[in-house]
Amino acid sequence: MAKLDIGPPDYKKNLPPVITKNYGQWKYHDYVKPGVLRHVAKSGDVLYSIRAGSPRLVSNDFIRDICDMADMYCNGYLRFTSRNNIEFLTDDEAMIEPLIAACEAKGLPVGGTGHSLSNIVHTQGWVHCHTPATDASGIVKAVMDDLFEYFKTDDLPARLRVALACCLNMCGAVHCSDIAILGVHRTVPVIDHEIIRKGTEIPTLVASCPTGAIRPDPKNKSVVIRDESCMYCGNCYTMSPGMQIMDPENDGIAILVGGKVSNARSLPMFSRLVIPFLPNNPPRWPETVEAVRNIVETWIRHARDGERVGEWIERIGWERFFTLADIPFSDKCIDDYIFSRETFRTTAAFKY
Amino acid sequence: MAEEKKTPQLDELEKGPWPSFVTEIKRAAKKNPAAEDLLGLMERSYEDRTGHWKHGGIVGVRGYGGGVIGRYTDLPEEFPHLKEFHTMRVNQPSGWFYTSDSLREICDIWEKHGSGLTNFHGSTGDIILLGMKTGELQPTFDELSDAGYDLGGSGSDLRSPSCCVGPARCEYACYDTLDMCYDLTNEFQDELHRPMWPYKFKIKMSGCANDCVAAIARADCSVIGTWRDTIIIDPEEVKKYAASGMNIQRMVCDKCPPRALEYDAEKQELTVNPEDCTRCMHCINMMPRAIQPGKERGATILLGGKATIVKSAFMSWVIVPFMKMEPPYDEFKDLIRRIWDWWDENGKTRERIGELIYRVGMTTFLKEVGLPAAPQMVFRPRANPYVFWQPEDFAEHK
């Protein structure tokens, strides 16, 4: 029988000795080459971190493989980053090249540091989610294959952070990414009155709708939807399986750009919707792959050194972005939800 | 095992240079029939262009209300091993540091009880064990517990706190994110394991304003390292950067948002006007050998961050401009408990703390949790005069 409330394992037991010795005493860091960080401590000790990409959805055997590599080259010490990369940790410079060779031999690309494309953080999609508007892992694989060169090198204008969420819940918190790939539903939920009658708390369901589009239908012991008020968020489906939101014909992908979380230089920014819809086209989503590449390449061509996607667009103006990226501006890019007014242009100064 | 099923669409995703999740599912499928069924179900989703997982279902382990996400396929006849395919969230160690032995221990347990598929890691930060039958939940948890692991949060509870790499490897860390994450997670085990709130609550700790765990975007409470005094400039190291050919004026000073830095190219001297600095981290990022955060270090506490659903995405906003962050973190714990009590009392079902504050007003929030107003909380003051005056305001001017 399990002991309750023991909490997570003590991280201090998992730190390599060079970290334990120099904990909080690091002086500076630099980049040895793409995928390799060097941290230098005040003591003069050095720590190398070799970063490798991972599909995140991995088998036990994959974990055992990277454990074997950590044993062979790093005395068994490794960590994961907030973007699901693997980092092998060693104080022995001689291990860097053999470790990189071992990673590449296993199909694990080394890169993702500095001004590069890091791994795409993403959600579960069709692998395990109950409300997805698209898959997650498949699109990530297709996009990373296509942009692979930018993971392996670090001479982009700035860091490039791409994220994917498979529905508007945005479990992947894509809303502050340089480029966000977002699964979107576009049609009103189909009500299964039987399911609603059987096991749904109707007041809770009604209250769950952010636009008040769902109203009780006491006669029918169910609910009705005011179609024109629904913006397909799917919050009602989370409250009741009787509000089927998935629609294979009409679900797809939206692209948002220009977000960041770091406070460096400019304020943290939300990503903004620039392509309202692309079709779900498995297995390799060519329209989405092409749209992302186009935005990345336009940014590379036009951004100044050190400018994140959002910083570049804010400097040149969004109206210029649509022209430069050759993306048609749609009325669907204009906000009509609750915080829309701050996005309206209250000046006569703008570009063409 | 049955005859190998064909997965032509998924096979396309084994091509190309990026490591393939399909290859990973196939590796697991060699050992486990549920992973094999998952391949078939995924292929079906690729044909149908829709998900095949049913909504929710309450399953769990004894003593906890969270930590397990119930999952059932809507095609149980065709994929009988996915009839029950639940997720278990296992609370990660601070900073996602592991030894190979600790990871192998998880693999050994997981191979006995589930699909052999994992996420390293889930969006919130937990280790995700992906796919097990209801009857395996308790035995898996029992063995994980014996190995020193515990479950993470799910549902309307405190989600597993997470933090950046912090002082373990980063010279920017303004407080010990790993220690604070570990300390808070242990302090709030009841809140983490037994959902009792209006909705989820996330705490993320970043050691500096670069915010590598995206705390400001993803956490209801974002603890972001900062300093009160002035950046420290090492003149000798500045000269070395200049000698290396760095354009300090263009890459550092011109990009300083409040233009707090001045560079004398002739003397190769960099100076800061301390009152103008906003501590954004840009100059430190550019010249880590020459510039470091000040000595009076702590954190800014921000509240309200969340993803888009329901009332739009919110970024956390400042509620305490500066707080010392040292064990046992009593000032923070006391504040967060007051915030939870107020939210629990006033929040509607599925209303995050940020949405509640937006609904009832920031001034009400500040008054009820006992925080003083500060100009650092807003970009700019209100443009309207519609103040909710209180009786005590009149007493002041009598």
Side-chain angles (χ1 to χ4, degrees), chain A residues 71 128 135 141 235 237, chain B residues 18 46 55 87 100 104 350:
Chain A
D71 282 347
H128 215 233
D135 189 31
K141 162 75 174 144
N235 203 36
Y237 181 68
Chain B
W18 189 252
Y46 273 57
H55 192 278
T87 299
S100 51
R104 285 196 190 97
R350 282 171 66 76

Side-chain angles (χ1 to χ4, degrees), chain A residues 2 5 14 23 29 39 49 59 61 65 71 76 82 87 124 128 135 141 145 235 237 265 280 284, chain B residues 12 18 24 27 31 46 49 55 64 71 85 87 97 100 104 119 142 169 171 176 193 257 350:
Chain A
D5 298 330
N14 293 347
Y23 195 91
H29 72 277
H39 286 82
S49 306
S59 65
D61 289 344
D65 283 349
D71 282 347
S82 56
E87 279 182 346
Q124 300 287 20
H128 215 233
D135 189 31
K141 162 75 174 144
D145 278 344
N235 203 36
Y237 181 68
R265 300 174 306 282
N280 263 335
R284 296 198 67 100
Chain B
E12 286 297 311
W18 189 252
E24 291 305 315
R27 289 175 87 180
K31 299 181 179 174
Y46 273 57
R49 304 183 181 200
H55 192 278
Y64 288 176
R71 205 55 97 216
F85 197 70
T87 299
F97 280 96
S100 51
R104 285 196 190 97
N119 288 147
D142 290 345
R169 199 191 56 191
E171 68 272 22
D176 192 339
H193 288 135
R350 282 171 66 76

Side-chain angles (χ1 to χ4, degrees), chain B residues 31-168:
Chain B
K31 299 181 179 174
N32 181 280
E36 195 185 5
D37 268 2
L38 182 65
L39 273 177
L41 187 83
M42 278 292 280
E43 183 72 16
R44 176 65 66 82
S45 279
Y46 273 57
E47 289 161 8
D48 297 351
R49 304 183 181 200
T50 193
H52 282 294
W53 296 103
K54 276 203 294 197
H55 192 278
I58 296 169
V59 285
V61 298
R62 281 193 295 275
Y64 288 176
V68 177
I69 320 296
R71 205 55 97 216
Y72 309 82
T73 182
D74 65 357
L75 301 170
E77 280 78 28
E78 278 176 77
F79 303 101
H81 298 288
L82 302 180
K83 193 163 173 260
E84 297 160 350
F85 197 70
H86 312 310
T87 299
M88 185 172 274
R89 293 185 180 160
V90 181
N91 200 160
Q92 80 284 7
S94 282
W96 302 289
F97 280 96
Y98 296 93
T99 62
S100 51
D101 288 343
S102 68
L103 284 174
R104 285 196 190 97
E105 202 168 12
I106 296 172
C107 292
D108 292 345
I109 294 167
W110 184 223
E111 194 147 281
K112 269 191 274 178
H113 295 290
S115 73
L117 288 166
T118 69
N119 288 147
F120 274 87
H121 293 82
S123 285
T124 301
D126 302 283
I127 303 161
I128 305 293
L129 303 181
L130 203 62
M132 71 181 89
K133 291 186 165 53
T134 310
E136 296 293 340
L137 291 168
Q138 190 65 41
T140 309
F141 175 44
D142 290 345
E143 284 199 44
L144 285 168
S145 175
D146 288 343
Y149 288 88
D150 202 343
L151 301 194
S154 72
S156 295
D157 65 11
L158 175 65
R159 300 301 180 86
S160 307
S162 80
C163 65
C164 70
V165 72

Side-chain angles (χ1 to χ4, degrees), chain B residues 4 19 22 31 41 53 73 84 102 110 155-156 176 187 204 220 256 272 292 299 302 306 326 339 345 394:
Chain B
E4 204 173 309
V22 174
K31 299 181 179 174
L41 187 83
W53 296 103
T73 182
E84 297 160 350
S102 68
W110 184 223
S156 295
D176 192 339
E187 173 91 13
K204 291 191 192 293
D220 296 274
C256 169
V272 62
Q292 44 172 302
L302 306 94
K306 58 179 283 296
E326 280 158 9
I339 291 170
E345 194 76 12
F394 300 101

Side-chain angles (χ1 to χ4, degrees), chain A residues 38-329:
Chain A
R38 172 175 54 196
H39 286 82
V40 180
K42 289 173 187 163
S43 67
D45 289 350
V46 176
L47 170 70
Y48 297 96
S49 306
I50 294 89
R51 185 176 291 178
S54 152
R56 187 181 84 121
L57 169 52
V58 295
S59 65
N60 272 336
D61 289 344
F62 178 99
I63 300 294
R64 291 193 179 110
D65 283 349
I66 60 172
C67 287
D68 291 347
M69 288 157 68
D71 282 347
M72 186 167 294
Y73 303 103
C74 313
N75 295 320
Y77 293 103
L78 71 167
R79 70 177 291 267
F80 294 82
T81 71
S82 56
R83 303 193 81 83
N84 308 313
N85 298 300
I86 304 153
E87 279 182 346
F88 297 97
L89 307 168
T90 177
D91 54 3
D92 185 354
E93 191 176 2
M95 290 298 142
I96 298 174
E97 290 307 323
L99 180 52
I100 292 175
C103 285
E104 300 286 350
K106 281 274 175 211
L108 300 179
V110 172
T113 53
H115 288 186
S116 72
L117 164 67
S118 188
N119 205 345
I120 300 181
V121 293
H122 61 281
T123 54
Q124 300 287 20
W126 292 334
V127 168
H128 215 233
C129 179
H130 69 289
T131 63
T134 186
D135 189 31
S137 307
I139 303 159
V140 166
K141 162 75 174 144
V143 171
M144 286 306 288
D145 278 344
D146 186 63
L147 297 179
F148 191 67
E149 64 204 271
Y150 301 124
F151 181 84
K152 300 280 293 176
T153 52
D154 60 0
D155 49 6
L156 288 169
R159 280 155 212 276
L160 178 60
R161 299 292 177 254
V162 183
L164 181 146
C166 55
C167 85
L168 296 83
N169 269 305
M170 292 204 198
C171 295
V174 301
H175 53 283
C176 292
S177 306
D178 291 290
I179 300 176
I181 305 166
L182 178 66
V184 289
H185 301 294
R186 297 190 299 160
T187 49
V188 176
V190 176
I191 304 178
D192 185 327
H193 295 288
E194 258 326 287
I195 296 179
I196 307 258
R197 277 193 283 266
K198 253 191 247 164
T200 299
E201 269 184 57
I202 290 182
T204 316
L205 173 59
V206 168
S208 76
C209 179
T211 63
I214 301 173
R215 282 187 291 195
D217 179 6
K219 229 197 283 174
N220 204 15
K221 292 197 175 114
S222 183
V223 294
V224 288
I225 304 176
R226 208 150 39 107
D227 288 4
E228 65 275 17
S229 298
C230 175
M231 41 58 160
Y232 330 111
C233 71
N235 203 36
C236 58
Y237 181 68
T238 303
M239 305 313 293
S240 169
M243 307 293 285
Q244 183 53 255
I245 185 79
M246 284 188 286
D247 176 354
E249 291 296 307
N250 296 297
D251 290 346
I253 284 171
I255 305 285
L256 296 83
V257 306
K260 73 190 265 282
V261 291
S262 160
N263 291 264
R265 300 174 306 282
S266 52
L267 304 179
M269 296 188 259
F270 286 126
S271 313
R272 305 281 169 180
L273 188 139
V274 293
I275 303 177
F277 184 75
L278 294 167
N280 263 335
N281 199 356
R284 296 198 67 100
W285 282 268
E287 297 85 355
T288 300
V289 168
E290 197 198 325
V292 173
R293 174 168 277 273
N294 172 46
I295 291 163
V296 171
E297 288 184 344
T298 310
W299 169 61
I300 292 171
R301 265 200 307 280
H302 295 280
R304 290 180 186 163
D305 199 13
E307 271 180 342
R308 294 280 293 263
V309 172
E311 294 173 310
W312 160 61
I313 301 176
E314 287 289 333
R315 175 173 60 77
I316 62 168
W318 286 85
E319 67 277 33
R320 284 286 294 151
F321 166 79
F322 283 94
T323 306
L324 291 175
D326 196 20
I327 295 172
F329 184 79

